[in-house]
Amino acid sequence: MDTGKVQVNNRFAADRLLHAYLVVGPEGSDRTDFVNRLATALVCDGKDEVPCGHCPQCRKAEKGIHPDILHIRRPENRTVFPVSTIRDLCADTFVVPNDARRKVYILHEAELMNAPAQNAFLKTLEEPPAHCSFLIPIADPSLLLVTVRSRCGELRVSGAEEQISDLAREAVRSFLSAWRRSSLEAVSFLQSMDSGKDSKEAFWDFMDALSAEAIQAAAAGKLSFSAWQVLNRALDTAEIYRRHNLPPGYCIGMLSACVAGQPAN
């Protein structure tokens, strides 16, 4: 594996993984489950899909005892992250992993880092050792400096506050079930969606629900991480289409092309 490209494997990363992600969403099981599953995937030794759930790395990660998945927390006697904690983290990144091919740092309560602590983190975020990944669960990324946010990718986990109709959720679940059966069936489902003017609002409701449901499916192991990454990039592109007020048919074609070459399992 080319550690300079920070890849997990060919199926997990159709392109290069970023070294740092903000996992954005309200505190709760969806965000926690997704962060833990992604951390497990990053240390997995599986040859095919990750996390495989069978290799020694996965088993240790699932038991919460993996030496290369490090939870960084604010000291209990401090109301904010002291700069010393961040400096210790940065120094530790130069220590090679114990068991896995990479070390994964999960930075809890990152919103409690003050400006000096965030500034101390910048250099490491910008040019980390190739064996390091950072996962930062956070409810409100605006509490971080722009310079920190710009060095991280952003993954959004759905929250209970999202107003998504039951109809849209059911359509998404039908689509994901079709995709798990076969890529062709998923494409047929998408192509059958009416992209006429009257259904425009309903289609974008479907896309909002897809964004919310897909990350939960990935966290629960019902959607492979490789499929989720393909879908996540497609959703980013769909958002651009929406901002430019393009007809849903353009998005259906783009999404169909992405799904066609990627099994969900």
Side-chain angles (χ1 to χ4, degrees):
M1 183 179 72
D2 183 353
T3 55
K5 292 184 178 180
V6 199
Q7 292 179 334
V8 178
N9 61 33
N10 290 335
R11 289 196 65 193
F12 183 33
D15 58 4
R16 287 179 294 180
L17 282 171
L18 299 179
H19 61 274
Y21 286 101
L22 302 176
V23 182
V24 181
E27 186 173 356
S29 61
D30 287 349
R31 191 180 76 181
T32 300
D33 289 348
F34 185 77
V35 167
N36 289 338
R37 188 166 167 79
L38 182 53
T40 303
L42 288 166
V43 299
C44 176
D45 277 339
K47 302 300 182 183
D48 190 13
E49 189 54 56
V50 295
C52 69
H54 306 297
C55 71
Q57 310 296 348
C58 282
R59 290 199 295 269
K60 282 183 279 191
E62 289 166 2
K63 291 178 182 177
I65 58 172
H66 200 294
D68 296 316
I69 297 178
L70 305 170
H71 294 265
I72 310 301
R73 293 183 168 89
R74 168 183 57 88
E76 291 184 0
N77 62 341
R78 302 294 294 270
T79 58
V80 297
F81 259 101
V83 175
S84 59
T85 297
I86 300 303
R87 287 177 177 159
D88 288 345
L89 180 161
C90 294
D92 187 76
T93 63
F94 292 99
V95 180
V96 298
N98 288 280
D99 291 351
R101 290 171 292 181
R102 64 166 44 75
K103 296 172 78 170
V104 182
Y105 297 87
I106 302 175
L107 187 59
H108 299 276
E109 296 184 303
E111 62 271 19
L112 297 181
M113 285 194 296
N114 58 21
Q118 292 185 54
N119 284 322
F121 196 23
L122 283 179
K123 180 64 175 176
T124 298
L125 268 182
E126 187 172 17
E127 297 179 357
H131 59 256
C132 293
S133 294
F134 303 95
L135 303 178
I136 306 174
I138 191 167
D140 184 1
S142 69
L143 297 174
L144 299 177
L145 298 175
V146 173
T147 46
V148 171
R149 300 202 306 268
S150 67
R151 288 162 171 79
C152 303
E154 188 172 298
L155 307 175
R156 289 196 168 269
V157 180
S158 65
E161 76 283 359
E162 293 185 76
Q163 299 301 310
I164 298 174
S165 71
D166 290 341
L167 188 63
R169 289 189 186 277
E170 186 56 38
V172 166
R173 288 164 186 164
S174 296
F175 163 69
L176 293 176
S177 294
W179 195 8
R180 284 192 287 270
R181 289 190 293 270
S182 79
S183 297
L184 287 177
E185 193 169 337
V187 170
S188 295
F189 182 96
L190 291 170
Q191 296 296 334
S192 71
M193 297 181 72
D194 181 9
S195 59
K197 182 178 180 181
D198 292 341
S199 67
K200 187 173 183 179
E201 184 176 345
F203 174 77
W204 291 116
D205 285 347
F206 168 81
M207 293 300 289
D208 288 338
L210 182 57
S211 179
E213 292 286 323
I215 199 166
Q216 293 180 54
K222 296 178 180 178
L223 185 69
S224 72
F225 267 98
S226 54
W228 176 79
Q229 278 201 240
V230 168
L231 191 55
N232 195 55
R233 288 194 298 273
L235 289 166
D236 286 344
T237 303
E239 228 8 78
I240 296 172
Y241 288 5
R242 173 155 40 182
R243 287 199 299 268
H244 286 82
N245 203 30
L246 292 176
Y250 284 88
C251 190
I252 290 173
M254 177 272 296
L255 191 57
S256 296
C258 292
V259 167
Q262 177 64 58
N265 296 316

